[in-house]
Amino acid sequence: MEEYMLNEKQQQAFANFSKTIPGSVLDKKTNYLVKTAVAIALSCHPWMEHLFGGAEENGITQEELGAVVANVMVVSAGSAKNKAEKAFEDVNLER
């Protein structure tokens, strides 16, 4: 993917930043699963493709990917529910 919005110095800073995360606190597998969950939650298709495509070689099973997807679904559904409840409260509608 071309980084057309960032100049070379900014691209390098981003690359350096992203390299500081793996192995800092989380083990490699946990870090991979967290990145996968974030990519799904943010609907980042390029990252989802990248992470799903490399899952097996990084020791991630289909069952683990399924658990990640299910957890994102649960949190997303809860967020939608909470937002709807807040909107109802804001306009004084009864539940």
Side-chain angles (χ1 to χ4, degrees), residues 76-91:
S76 297
S79 176
K81 176 184 171 289
N82 291 337
K83 289 175 187 176
E85 287 176 347
K86 176 72 171 115
F88 280 123
E89 290 172 6
D90 289 348
V91 295

Side-chain angles (χ1 to χ4, degrees), residues 50-77:
H50 171 73
L51 293 162
F52 289 154
E56 187 176 344
E57 68 187 50
N58 281 281
I60 309 298
T61 66
Q62 291 293 315
E63 292 80 13
E64 289 168 322
L65 287 175
V68 168
V69 171
N71 275 289
V72 172
M73 291 169 63
V74 167
V75 173
S76 297

